[in-house]
Amino acid sequence: MIRSIVSTAVAGLAGFTATKAVLRSRLRTHESVVRTNHAGHDVSLAEGPAVATGLLAGSLLIEDPRQRTATLLATAAAGSLGAVDDFCESGSSKGLRGHLSALARGEITTGTIKVTGIPLASIAAAAILRSRTRPAGFFGFSQKEDRPWFAAAADVIVTGGVIAGSANLFNLLDLRPGRALKTGALTLAFTDHHRRVSWAPSGAIAGVTAAAWPDDLAGDAMLGDTGANALGAAIGVILAETATPAQRRLILAVLAGLTLASEKVSFTSVIESTPGLREIDSFGREVV
């Protein structure tokens, strides 16, 4: 177990470091990777692709083939679609409501591609997670399952919702230096790791988080949609794989509630006005 954690952590850190070095040498201060943050400072989006690549590198070493495939699929899709929104953004719609409204009007923007593509990829990853060794039935479930196909299909959809909802939530949190990384670390710290399947992917996330931490907390770089979506998807797979069906439904309800709340409430305002959350959020941050 320790060896798998260390190997995925090292792979994640190495993938992050190599990708960021290449991006920095080729792009440097190119306008395509520079954004202005909440404090009016220029920050680099190069961290996002580096995080996504590091997560994929670490995920390659996950021993369980179903979890490895599902993690690679969800992380790659979320990171790639996030990159499309980061670097090829079109349309002025913001937030889930804005993207869905644009889609309803027949307007295809990078945001609408992301909010439809990530859930579809997440459901595909969920079908892989819930599959068994025998030939699969409807929605990737073994026909040996005692429950009816529609119950199995519903669990796949809920599992996919957890993965997609997690990807979206981490994107919503990437509004202040270190916030998304801290949320990821705390989520893994409080995850029930009684099953070995959670340790290797957690190692990859830990390695990437350690590598991204200094520049992110300093306000020099940010995850962007690329890194935040990829990180959230990878964590979503862990949550989906370690939780019971009832727990997955609860997690999905919480994620859906937070997503809907974000349309009306500022997470930053809530965090900054809540003792405890405020201190955790600001811990180690050089830019406020």
Side-chain angles (χ1 to χ4, degrees):
M1 180 181 71
I2 294 178
R3 184 172 64 179
S4 65
I5 296 173
V6 172
S7 62
T8 55
V10 170
L13 192 152
F16 175 95
T17 303
T19 303
K20 193 165 187 179
V22 170
L23 291 175
R24 277 183 166 174
S25 65
R26 294 191 175 185
L27 297 176
R28 296 184 181 273
T29 58
H30 194 279
E31 61 180 10
S32 65
V33 298
V34 176
R35 296 292 185 275
T36 302
N37 69 3
H38 69 286
H41 300 138
D42 287 344
V43 296
S44 172
L45 286 178
E47 178 182 305
V51 164
T53 303
L55 291 172
L56 291 173
S59 299
L60 286 170
L61 302 181
I62 296 175
E63 293 181 2
D64 182 86
R66 291 184 303 112
Q67 190 179 21
R68 180 174 61 249
T69 304
T71 302
L72 288 170
L73 172 59
T75 305
S80 298
L81 292 172
V84 170
D85 208 22
D86 272 339
F87 305 111
C88 307
E89 185 176 7
S90 65
S92 58
S93 301
K94 299 294 182 182
L96 180 62
R97 179 186 296 178
H99 294 317
L100 293 179
S101 296
L103 185 60
R105 297 192 302 268
E107 181 183 351
I108 305 299
T109 66
T110 53
T112 58
I113 292 173
K114 187 180 73 168
V115 300
T116 54
I118 290 179
L120 290 175
S122 297
I123 290 175
I128 295 170
L129 280 179
R130 302 275 78 83
S131 65
R132 298 295 180 264
T133 55
R134 287 184 55 186
F138 189 77
F139 262 86
F141 272 84
S142 167
Q143 296 175 356
K144 186 174 66 174
E145 294 270 349
D146 293 332
R147 54 184 173 175
W149 68 262
F150 53 83
D155 192 33
V156 166
I157 293 173
V158 169
T159 300
V162 169
I163 297 170
S166 180
N168 181 64
L169 178 62
F170 275 77
N171 191 31
L172 295 174
L173 291 171
D174 188 39
L175 296 177
R176 292 293 185 274
R179 180 177 294 171
L181 294 179
K182 291 175 186 176
T183 302
L186 288 172
T187 300
L188 294 181
F190 288 100
T191 296
D192 187 353
H193 294 285
H194 72 282
R195 297 179 62 197
R196 291 172 59 90
V197 293
S198 65
W199 286 113
S202 295
I205 294 171
V208 168
T209 298
W213 187 274
D215 285 348
D216 199 303
L217 265 292
D220 295 330
M222 63 183 293
L223 293 170
D225 289 12
T226 310
N229 285 152
L231 177 62
I235 290 177
V237 173
I238 293 175
L239 293 176
E241 187 71 337
T242 56
T244 64
Q247 289 171 337
R248 284 194 289 271
R249 292 192 291 271
L250 176 60
I251 293 170
L252 178 58
V254 171
L255 290 170
L258 290 173
T259 299
L260 293 174
S262 70
E263 298 290 326
K264 297 289 187 181
V265 180
S266 166
F267 284 176
T268 295
S269 297
V270 172
I271 291 171
E272 291 180 349
S273 63
T274 305
L277 289 180
R278 179 175 58 244
E279 287 71 25
I280 293 173
D281 187 53
S282 62
F283 175 77
R285 184 181 298 158
E286 297 181 22
V287 179
V288 296

